[in-house]
Amino acid sequence: MKIAVCVKQIPDPATPYELDAESHLVVRPQDQVLDDTDRYGVEVGLQLAEANEGTVTLFSMSPSGSLQGIRQALAMGADKAVLIDDQALRGSAALTTARVLAAAIEREGFDLVIAGTESTDGYTGVVPQQIAEILDVPALSFARRVEAGDGKVTIERQTATGYDVVESPLPAVLAVTAGSVEPRYPTFKGIMQAKQKPIDNLTAGDLGFGDDDVGIAGSGQSITAVAPIAGRQAGEIIEDDGEAHLRIVALLEETKVI
Amino acid sequence: MDFAQSEEHDAFRKVVGEFADAEIAPYAEEWDRTHEFPADTVRKMGDLGLFGLPFSEKYGGSGADFTTLCIAIEEIARIDQSLAITLEAATGLGINPIHEFGSDAQKERWLPDLVAGRALAGFGLTEAESGSDAGRTRTTAELDGDEWVINGSKAFITNSGTEMTSLVTITARTGPEEISTIIVPSGTPGFEVEPGYRKMGWHASDTHGLVFSDCRVPAENLLGDRGRGFRQFLSTLDDGRIAIAALAVGVLRSCLEESLGYAKERHSFGKPIGSYQAIAFKVADLEVMTEAARLLVYKAAWLKDSGQPFKQAAAVAKLYATEAAVTATREATQIFGGYGFMDESLVARHYRDAKVLEIGEGTSEVQRLVISRGLGLPVE
C-alpha cells in the first residue's frame, strides 16, 4: 500500500510569530518544526504501513529551505519525503497548496493520502478535501480511528455527539484528528536513519506550474490589513443574593447555550 | 578545542525533553509522594530506546556514543532524578558488565530484554560493612559440583526489586584472595529482596537490601573471569561518574529555569523579587554553576567518545557537578522561600534528591582522592 502523508513545517509555536510588514505573511525562520497535528497523520500512516506492508512517503510544501520538521517525521519512521521548496510558493492560499501537493502526490502514485485536520499556523482546515477533489477520490474527514486493507478504508468519524462509521474504497484522502492515535517518539536510531533517507526536492515548475499559478499571484487573494485581536473582556461576577441562578439562566439563554 | 554536539544530538535532546515533559512531569510529584516505581513509564523509556543507547545493535541497541546517553540522563533528571538514576544504573551497572564481559550465551540470554527496557538488572557490590572498599566483601560463593552456592547480603542495590528486574550481578568471595562476579536471576530460591528503604530522596527509584541464603545458581553464571570479574568491572566505573555528573547538570538546569521563572513572577514590596540583588545574584550564580558543570561533563564525555584518557576528567566532572547541584538545590529552595519548603514543589524534591549525588558511584571524598592521585600526589 502506497501511503502519502502530508506534513507541514511551521515556525516553532513556542516562539512568537513575526509578520512581514509589507506582505503580512508569517516570516518563516530557517529552523521550522513539524506541525504537532501532523504527528498524528504520520503515526496513522506508519501503523497502516506496518499492517499492510506499505510505504510512507511524506509530502510537504515549504518555501523556507527548512528540513528540520521533515527530518522529525522521517525519524518517526517514514520512508522518504517529497519537498516542494520554492520561493515562488510564498503566499500561496489553501487551494494553491492543495493543487501543488496533489500534483506531487499524483506524480508519485498513491493508495491513500493522510493529512491532519488543520494546520497549527494557518487553521484553514480545507486542504485535505481540496486535495481529494483535485485527485478525484473520496475524502474522509475527522477520522479518529482508521483501518485500511483489501482495497478499502474504514474510519470512525468524530461528530459532536459521538462518531459515524464511514467506509470508502481506495484510493482516498483521509484527514485525521489529534488524539486519533498516540504518536511515537523518534528514537535515536530513527534520528540517525532519517539523515540517510531520500528527500526529493521539487520546484513548482517541476510540477508544471508557472510562477503566476502559485504564490500570492496565483492565489487570487491578498491580505490587505492585519490587526491585533481585541483583548479579552473581564467577565461578569454575579454575587449571589438568592436570585443569582435567575441571572445565570438568563445569560445562558442569551448565548443560546440552553 | 571542539566538543560541539551534532545536529542529531540536538534533535535527540529535544525528543527526550518532550518525552520527560509529557510522560514524566505530570506524575513525578505523585510517585515521589507514594514511593511508587513507575514500571509502565520505565517501559516507555525502553520504547524510546533509552536503555539501549550505548549498546551494540546486535542486541537491539542503538550503537550511540556516550555523549548521547549523557544527554538522555540530563533531560530526564531535569524533571525527575528517580527515573534518571533508574536509567543511569540500568545502563551503567545493570547492562554494561554483561555487555562488556559476558559470554555469548549470557549476552544472548539477558541482553535483548535489558537493552529494550523490558527488563532491568541491578549490580550488587555494596555491603553493610563495605562500600567502595570491595576488598572487604563478605558475601561468599562456593562451587558445589556445577553450581555456585551464595551466602551473604548486599545493601543499597538499585533496580534490584522491581517487577521488571530479571537479574542482579553480585560480587562475591570465591576464594581467600579472590573476588568474582556472578549473575543471580530474580526469583532464584535463596535470593531474598528486602523491603524498600526509607530514603531521604529518590523515592521513585527502586533500592533494596538483598539476602542470599544457600542460593544456588549454575556455574556458568560466573561473569567474566574467575577472580578477575570484579576488577574488570572497576574499569567501567569512570563511565558512571560522567553519567552521574550529567544527571547533576539536569538538576542544575532545572534549578536555574525554575528560579529564573519565579524571580520574574513573584512580587515582593511591589516589584519582582528578581529585581533585588539578593535574588538576582543567586540566579546569576546558578547560571555559572550550570554552565561550568555542563562544560566539564560534556568535555569528559567527548574525551571518552574520542578514545582519549578521561579518568581525571570524569572525577573532576562528577565532583564539581554534584557539589554544584547540591548548592543549587539549596539556593533554589531559598529563592522559592516558604513554597520551596513544601514537599510537593519541584525544588524541594530536587533538594532532597540531590544530596545522594555526592555519595553514589564514588563519594566526593573518593573523587578528591582520585583527582589528587591523578596529580601525582602520594595521598593514601
Side-chain angles (χ1 to χ4, degrees):
Chain A
M1 184 184 287
K2 280 187 93 165
I3 300 169
V5 179
C6 298
V7 296
K8 189 172 186 182
Q9 302 185 106
I10 62 170
D12 192 337
T15 55
Y17 282 19
E18 206 184 309
L19 295 180
D20 183 79
E22 237 171 77
S23 67
H24 304 308
L25 295 171
V26 172
V27 177
R28 302 211 169 256
Q30 268 296 306
D31 49 347
Q32 298 199 93
V33 299
L34 180 67
D35 188 334
D36 201 51
T37 59
D38 287 330
R39 296 197 303 142
Y40 300 91
V42 174
E43 180 62 40
V44 169
L46 292 172
Q47 288 185 11
L48 293 178
E50 281 155 14
N52 295 284
E53 290 177 14
T55 56
V56 174
T57 305
L58 308 169
F59 291 85
S60 187
M61 189 179 112
S62 170
S64 70
S66 176
L67 283 178
Q68 194 185 320
I70 302 286
R71 289 247 162 84
Q72 276 176 265
L74 288 171
M76 286 175 72
D79 299 286
K80 62 176 194 159
V82 176
L83 175 64
I84 310 105
D85 188 348
D86 189 336
Q87 278 303 312
L89 296 167
R90 259 179 65 80
S92 291
L95 183 56
T96 314
T97 304
R99 283 194 181 119
V100 171
L101 287 172
I105 291 166
E106 195 158 37
R107 188 177 191 255
E108 199 77 19
F110 68 98
D111 295 304
L112 181 63
V113 180
I114 302 173
T117 292
E118 58 184 358
S119 66
T120 310
D121 58 348
Y123 287 110
T124 64
V126 293
V127 171
Q129 290 74 15
Q130 291 172 334
I131 291 176
E133 195 62 26
I134 296 163
L135 294 174
D136 198 21
V137 297
L140 297 86
S141 50
F142 299 108
R144 61 166 213 183
R145 211 173 148 202
V146 184
E147 278 172 35
D150 298 331
K152 63 177 187 184
V153 56
T154 310
I155 67 158
E156 287 179 9
R157 180 171 61 195
Q158 184 73 51
T159 67
T161 51
Y163 65 90
D164 301 324
V165 176
V166 182
E167 193 179 288
S168 155
L170 292 176
V173 175
L174 194 63
V176 298
T177 58
S180 48
V181 283
E182 197 173 320
R184 67 195 68 187
Y185 292 93
T187 61
F188 186 74
K189 237 191 232 180
I191 291 170
M192 294 306 284
Q193 285 163 353
K195 227 171 45 168
Q196 316 297 334
K197 289 179 177 171
I199 300 177
D200 291 348
N201 270 291
L202 301 180
T203 62
D206 293 336
L207 294 168
F209 296 99
D211 281 358
D212 289 344
D213 300 329
V214 294
I216 297 173
S219 290
Q221 69 176 38
S222 62
I223 305 166
T224 52
V226 182
I229 54 167
R232 193 177 284 192
Q233 302 294 314
E236 180 186 339
I237 295 169
I238 304 161
E239 302 245 355
D240 190 10
D241 52 3
E243 302 290 316
H245 61 285
L246 296 174
R247 176 75 188 124
I248 290 169
V249 168
L251 279 171
L252 290 173
E253 279 173 344
E254 225 170 88
T255 51
K256 299 201 166 28
V257 174
I258 54 174
Chain B
M1 186 187 295
D2 176 17
F3 44 92
Q5 291 173 12
S6 69
E7 199 181 307
E8 288 72 34
H9 284 133
D10 289 343
F12 186 63
R13 176 185 288 284
K14 208 169 159 224
V15 170
V16 182
E18 284 171 7
F19 175 88
D21 287 337
E23 310 287 343
I24 299 175
Y27 318 107
E29 189 274 324
E30 186 188 335
W31 298 330
D32 176 64
R33 182 162 33 81
T34 58
H35 294 224
E36 179 190 340
F37 175 81
D40 287 343
T41 305
V42 173
R43 290 190 188 95
K44 282 187 188 175
M45 288 164 63
D47 291 341
L48 188 51
L50 299 188
F51 293 93
L53 282 174
F55 302 113
S56 160
E57 295 187 53
K58 187 176 169 192
Y59 301 106
S62 298
D65 57 17
F66 194 73
T67 297
T68 310
L69 177 63
C70 289
I71 288 170
I73 292 170
E74 180 195 327
E75 287 298 324
I76 303 279
R78 190 173 56 83
I79 303 296
D80 187 359
Q81 293 187 48
S82 287
L83 281 181
I85 194 59
T86 300
L87 172 61
E88 195 279 333
T91 50
L93 301 170
I95 303 173
N96 202 36
I98 298 172
H99 188 263
E100 293 300 307
F101 309 115
S103 65
D104 284 346
Q106 287 169 337
K107 289 181 186 180
E108 274 156 31
R109 175 165 175 201
W110 300 110
L111 287 182
D113 280 347
L114 293 172
V115 162
R118 291 187 293 265
L120 291 172
F123 193 89
L125 163 65
T126 304
E127 299 187 357
E129 292 175 32
S130 67
S132 297
D133 177 15
R136 292 187 52 188
T137 297
R138 297 176 83 167
T139 298
T140 58
E142 283 176 46
L143 208 48
D144 176 26
D146 56 0
E147 287 182 327
W148 293 105
V149 183
I150 305 166
N151 281 289
S153 64
K154 295 289 175 181
F156 314 133
I157 310 305
T158 306
N159 292 340
S160 61
T162 76
E163 62 181 72
M164 305 167 64
T165 304
S166 60
L167 67 97
V168 291
T169 303
I170 60 155
T171 53
R173 196 167 284 285
T174 48
E177 294 301 320
E178 191 181 280
I179 295 173
S180 305
T181 49
I182 297 172
I183 295 172
V184 184
S186 296
T188 304
F191 165 26
E192 185 202 338
V193 178
E194 295 187 318
Y197 292 100
R198 285 183 62 228
K199 292 174 293 187
M200 171 176 163
W202 286 7
H203 288 162
S205 158
D206 178 84
T207 325
H208 298 273
L210 310 178
V211 180
F212 300 91
S213 319
D214 289 331
C215 174
R216 289 174 171 268
V217 298
E220 65 259 27
N221 280 22
L222 181 73
L223 182 65
D225 306 329
R226 179 168 176 168
R228 286 193 58 229
F230 172 62
R231 208 163 307 152
Q232 287 172 330
F233 168 71
L234 280 186
S235 65
T236 69
L237 271 188
D238 293 331
D239 300 6
R241 289 176 182 157
I242 305 175
I244 293 287
L247 197 162
V249 172
V251 178
L252 283 157
R253 266 179 61 207
S254 185
C255 288
L256 173 61
E257 286 162 15
E258 290 291 309
S259 299
L260 185 59
Y262 194 70
K264 289 177 182 170
E265 274 168 26
R266 166 80 176 181
H267 283 64
S268 178
F269 303 105
K271 288 194 287 187
I273 58 172
S275 66
Y276 301 106
Q277 289 190 353
I279 300 296
F281 288 6
K282 280 189 198 298
V283 180
D285 288 344
L286 292 175
E287 161 80 356
V288 174
M289 286 188 278
T290 305
E291 194 58 21
R294 191 199 327 257
L295 291 171
L296 288 174
V297 167
Y298 287 101
K299 182 190 170 191
W302 169 76
L303 285 171
K304 174 176 162 58
D305 284 333
S306 55
Q308 302 179 65
F310 64 97
K311 190 182 189 60
Q312 187 80 345
V316 169
K318 205 267 180 185
L319 177 65
Y320 178 77
T322 59
E323 293 197 343
V326 172
T327 304
T329 56
R330 189 183 67 241
E331 291 295 64
T333 302
Q334 188 70 18
I335 290 169
F336 272 75
Y339 291 105
F341 192 60
M342 295 301 105
D343 232 4
E344 66 268 23
S345 78
L346 177 54
V347 289
R349 173 153 55 85
H350 273 320
Y351 192 16
R352 287 186 279 107
D353 284 351
K355 179 59 204 172
V356 70
L357 294 171
E358 294 179 322
I359 298 169
E361 300 230 11
T363 61
S364 287
E365 292 71 25
V366 166
Q367 306 310 324
R368 287 190 166 86
L369 193 65
V370 170
I371 294 164
S372 45
R373 280 179 185 160
L375 292 170
L377 292 169
V379 60
E380 297 258 313

